[in-house]
Amino acid sequence: MAWQVVIAGGGFAGFYAARALERLLPEQSAHVTLVNEANFLLYTPLLPGAAGATLDPRHVVVPLRSQLRRTDLVIGRVTGAEPTRRTLGVLRIDGEQLELGYDQLIVALGSVSRTLPIPGLAEHATGLKSLSDATALRNQVLSCLDIAESIEDPARRSEYLGFVFVGAGYAGVEGLAELQDFAVQAIELYPRCRAQGMRWVLVEAKGRIMQEVPASLSEFAERELRRRGIEVRTETTLAEVSAHGARLSVGEEIPARTVVWTAGVKPSPAIARLGLPLDGAGRIVVDATMRVVDPAAPSPAASTAGAPTAQVWAIGDGAAVPDASRPGQACPPTAQHAIRQGRLVARNVVATLGGEAPRPFRYRTKGVVAELGRNKAVAITLGIRWRGFPAWLIARTYHLLLMPGFGRRLRLLVDWNVALLFGRDASSPGRLGAPTPLEHD
């Protein structure tokens, strides 16, 4: 009888776990099933490029079926689990409830945007976490320019020409830089808007932007943003959002119809419904091998093969995987950690099925890259700090090499080179995936 291995989540962690299992497990000995809400892997580091029109939105995703030939895909949403019965509940996209049995379960459900109880945030702000978010922001910028161009009153027009990003991590800085670069090119087609000018504001609660990189690179990035006319507000938080603007903690009112929230992530809400032990941040508690810790055991090492969670592993943003390079802390929610966790958890699952001991996860960040638009970036590779155009080349090369599949890499190259030669496409991609009713006004 073949082993049943189920993977919940098709992001970087789940995708690379499935790909490694296909390579490591003989086809007759195991059956691998991957559950995901969509039939694609979203390459999240390229979302700012999709929003900023340097990439076609379809080219920042990888179809799972084209890359996973021996894995069964179930397109649906995880609704819960019963570790004692070794079953995972899934709501398929057609509305049918499924119950998948497993011998080994890998939870890789990832994260969602972390929000705060700020008045008006949920009603009037937008995130940058999904492909829909990226296309919606691109549409929003163009819609604001279209509306502003037809408004006579400069005060009212300023609302549509105001753009506020809250959160200055990778997502916030890269998203703002790419969208502002896109808007600067697009506004040349709007005479009234060009005459009045746009206002772009980056809001960060901490003392400097991009806390993930050294202060020298953070300062370079901030200087680059300010040089382009972007206002940076550090040690400032968002107090309120309305349909007409944003109010900051310092009392400043910013007229803006576009407020983008990129202030951190939290584990997927589905994780809380799996009946697994969670830490204070809502992540699944695992040991160094990424196996879920049995809460009934006196210590992680005491978990036995017969315990309910001994057949469950957790990786990626939703798991508190101990960071060997930073004792007492969990691994950061980055793609490079998720990829390596996925590959190792596959080997550990295979080792467990063969009666061998799993290996602990040990990885130290090799570097970071962050694009700033206009052929500028900051990067760290093997301890060497880069900035400006060389960093931009490193960032593009890194993403090109990391994108799975030769065809997807070729699409990226074509998109990037077309944008370099002819500028960014100032057209709206519309509501992707939302069909027009046959009968409508």
Side-chain angles (χ1 to χ4, degrees):
M1 182 177 177
W3 297 101
Q4 300 294 322
V5 181
V6 175
I7 303 171
F12 282 108
F15 170 78
Y16 278 91
R19 200 155 77 162
L21 285 171
E22 286 189 346
R23 186 180 69 255
L24 296 171
L25 285 173
E27 190 170 358
Q28 298 78 16
S29 66
H31 179 252
V32 180
T33 302
L34 187 145
V35 180
N36 198 43
E37 293 187 5
N39 177 26
F40 58 76
L41 159 71
L42 174 62
Y43 194 105
T44 48
L46 293 180
L47 275 180
T54 57
L55 293 172
D56 186 306
R58 297 168 300 176
H59 296 168
V60 302
V61 299
V62 179
L64 292 174
R65 293 188 186 276
S66 69
Q67 297 293 319
L68 302 175
R69 299 301 180 88
R70 288 176 42 204
T71 299
D72 281 350
L73 293 179
V74 177
I75 308 303
R77 179 168 53 87
V78 173
T79 58
E82 294 189 34
T84 55
R85 294 179 53 231
R86 299 187 189 178
T87 60
L88 181 74
V90 178
L91 183 65
R92 203 168 56 192
I93 53 174
D94 62 350
E96 182 176 348
Q97 184 69 42
L98 306 179
E99 191 175 77
L100 303 179
Y102 63 82
D103 295 299
Q104 297 286 322
L105 172 65
I106 300 173
V107 181
L109 290 172
S111 59
V112 297
S113 294
R114 175 179 60 87
T115 58
L116 298 175
I118 298 172
L121 179 65
E123 295 81 5
H124 303 294
T126 304
L128 186 53
K129 185 66 175 170
S130 68
L131 192 61
S132 297
D133 293 339
T135 55
L137 278 174
R138 180 172 164 183
N139 294 344
Q140 171 77 359
V141 170
L142 293 173
S143 295
C144 284
L145 292 176
D146 286 329
I147 296 171
E149 189 68 13
S150 63
I151 294 177
E152 298 288 345
D153 182 7
R156 284 192 58 217
R157 192 185 301 133
S158 66
E159 291 183 11
Y160 292 92
L161 297 177
F163 304 90
V164 179
F165 272 70
V166 183
Y170 289 136
V173 171
E174 290 187 303
L176 179 144
E178 289 286 348
L179 268 176
Q180 193 262 358
D181 208 355
F182 166 64
V184 166
Q185 293 187 32
I187 204 172
E188 294 299 319
L189 305 174
Y190 300 83
R192 281 183 177 175
C193 296
R194 185 176 68 249
Q196 181 163 335
M198 297 179 292
R199 186 181 183 189
W200 292 78
V201 182
L202 177 63
V203 179
E204 169 56 42
K206 296 182 180 179
R208 64 179 176 91
I209 67 172
M210 299 182 69
Q211 295 282 322
E212 304 90 342
V213 301
S216 60
L217 295 184
S218 171
E219 292 166 2
F220 171 83
E222 183 172 338
R223 287 196 304 270
E224 175 64 22
L225 295 179
R226 291 186 184 276
R227 187 183 63 81
R228 292 161 51 177
I230 297 170
E231 303 172 33
V232 180
R233 303 280 193 274
T234 54
E235 298 183 333
T236 305
T237 58
L238 182 67
E240 184 180 1
V241 187
S242 70
H244 303 282
R247 180 168 60 86
L248 306 183
S249 57
V250 293
E252 182 181 7
E253 300 274 356
I254 301 176
R257 291 277 178 159
T258 305
V259 177
V260 185
W261 178 265
T262 59
V265 297
K266 65 179 180 180
S268 168
I271 287 175
R273 299 191 290 267
L274 300 181
L276 301 175
L278 307 178
D279 67 0
R283 298 169 299 186
I284 301 172
V285 179
V286 298
D287 61 18
T289 68
M290 297 168 290
R291 175 180 275 164
V292 175
V293 175
D294 180 10
S299 68
S303 181
T304 63
T309 58
Q311 295 79 25
V312 184
W313 313 76
I315 54 178
D317 294 2
V321 179
D323 191 341
S325 65
R326 302 181 304 162
Q329 299 186 52
C331 292
T334 66
Q336 56 183 299
H337 283 84
I339 290 170
R340 288 159 179 84
Q341 289 170 11
R343 290 170 175 164
L344 179 59
V345 82
R347 292 197 290 270
N348 283 349
V349 166
V350 173
T352 300
L353 294 176
E356 301 177 7
R359 293 169 46 195
F361 178 74
R362 293 190 177 93
Y363 175 72
R364 183 185 295 274
T365 301
K366 296 292 190 297
V368 296
V369 294
E371 293 192 50
L372 304 174
R374 301 192 183 182
N375 303 347
K376 299 290 179 62
V378 293
I380 302 175
T381 58
L382 301 176
I384 303 173
R385 301 178 185 182
W386 306 82
R387 64 190 70 186
F389 184 73
W392 178 79
L393 285 177
I394 291 172
R396 288 285 172 95
T397 303
Y398 172 78
H399 292 314
L400 193 65
L401 294 176
L402 199 60
M403 173 64 77
F406 176 77
R408 312 310 291 183
R409 295 172 186 167
L410 186 59
R411 287 178 170 88
L412 292 186
L413 273 177
V414 171
D415 283 355
W416 280 334
N417 285 309
V418 167
L420 284 173
L421 292 173
F422 303 105
R424 299 168 188 249
D425 182 9
S427 63
S428 168
R431 297 173 59 196
L432 295 178
T436 302
L438 291 178
E439 294 185 12
H440 65 286
D441 293 334

